Amino acid sequence: MEFKKYKDSIKKRLSKNFDITEDYRYNDLTFDMYAKYNLRNERYMVMKSATIYAFENNEHCFLKYFDSLDLFSLDRFIDVLKDLVQFHVKPDEEHMSSMITGIIVTKGQIAQEILDKVKKFKYHKGFAFGLKGWVDIRLVLVCVDDEKVLTSKKAKKVGKFYQP
């Protein structure tokens, strides 16, 4: 499968619930696609102005294609995802959780050390001992030639969604 076809199929799947931006640029890295989802729930008494509580759940998906993936490129991609936490996650009293998903799309043979690094990757950060929510980063590695998906432990639930 070609990358363009894969990107279009993911875009179609996400477009029902996400706001999508193509060629999203952050610092010196350009993502092929950025998708954002925001869910806000609240409970109120009698009138909407009498809010008892409210909470937000956010999800940000960053898709990037690499012709060939090496360890340096993977480390740089992960560092940018960690930087994006400070840019996109705004912890306040209504913030409950945010999920940042980094989708790496590549072709060809992938080195074993890269596979191991993706499998072992984990990032979790709580704000104010969890009172202002938390953020997790998930990693998904997609090989369009083999039509295989490899995920970090946190991303296992979404691995099937990103299947080519």
Side-chain angles (χ1 to χ4, degrees):
M1 177 182 262
E2 291 178 24
F3 171 67
K4 176 107 173 82
K5 281 185 183 177
Y6 177 74
K7 183 178 142 187
D8 290 342
S9 75
I10 294 299
K11 184 178 176 181
K12 187 177 177 183
R13 291 179 205 171
L14 290 173
S15 65
K16 295 174 186 165
N17 299 312
F18 285 75
D19 296 329
I20 295 174
T21 305
E22 292 201 38
D23 298 326
Y24 178 79
R25 189 168 178 81
Y26 180 79
N27 286 344
D28 58 342
L29 189 66
T30 303
F31 294 94
D32 295 291
M33 188 171 70
Y34 164 57
K36 178 183 176 184
Y37 174 79
N38 178 279
L39 173 69
R40 184 176 187 277
N41 288 306
E42 71 176 19
R43 186 80 152 184
Y44 56 90
M45 185 177 289
V46 186
M47 300 177 295
K48 287 189 176 182
S49 61
T51 303
I52 298 170
Y53 67 87
F55 60 92
E56 290 182 5
N57 301 96
N58 305 301
E59 186 170 344
H60 305 274
C61 300
F62 298 92
L63 186 135
K64 173 87 178 134
Y65 175 73
F66 292 92
D67 277 330
S68 63
L69 185 65
D70 58 11
L71 205 52
F72 176 75
S73 301
L74 179 63
D75 288 339
R76 188 165 165 255
F77 184 78
I78 289 170
D79 289 342
V80 169
L81 289 179
K82 288 177 182 176
D83 282 352
L84 284 165
V85 168
Q86 294 178 353
F87 187 71
H88 285 286
V89 179
K90 307 291 181 213
D92 57 22
E93 60 273 351
E94 291 186 1
H95 177 259
M96 182 178 177
S97 70
S98 291
M99 191 67 70
I100 293 181
T101 306
I103 304 115
I104 302 164
V105 183
T106 188
K107 62 182 180 182
Q109 195 71 11
I110 301 169
Q112 187 61 42
E113 59 188 358
I114 291 173
L115 299 175
D116 292 341
K117 189 159 189 158
V118 170
K119 275 184 191 174
K120 292 178 182 174
F121 177 79
K122 119 176 151 178
Y123 181 90
H124 175 86
K125 183 176 183 181
F127 302 103
F129 302 106
L131 294 173
K132 292 186 176 181
W134 64 90
V135 62
D136 289 312
I137 296 178
R138 305 186 285 206
L139 268 185
V140 178
L141 176 63
V142 179
C143 184
V144 288
D145 287 344
D146 302 340
E147 298 191 358
K148 289 186 178 177
V149 175
L150 180 75
T151 65
S152 62
K153 196 172 182 180
K154 277 279 184 194
K156 276 190 177 178
K157 291 179 186 174
V158 297
K160 208 171 190 178
F161 179 83
Y162 292 102
Q163 189 74 36

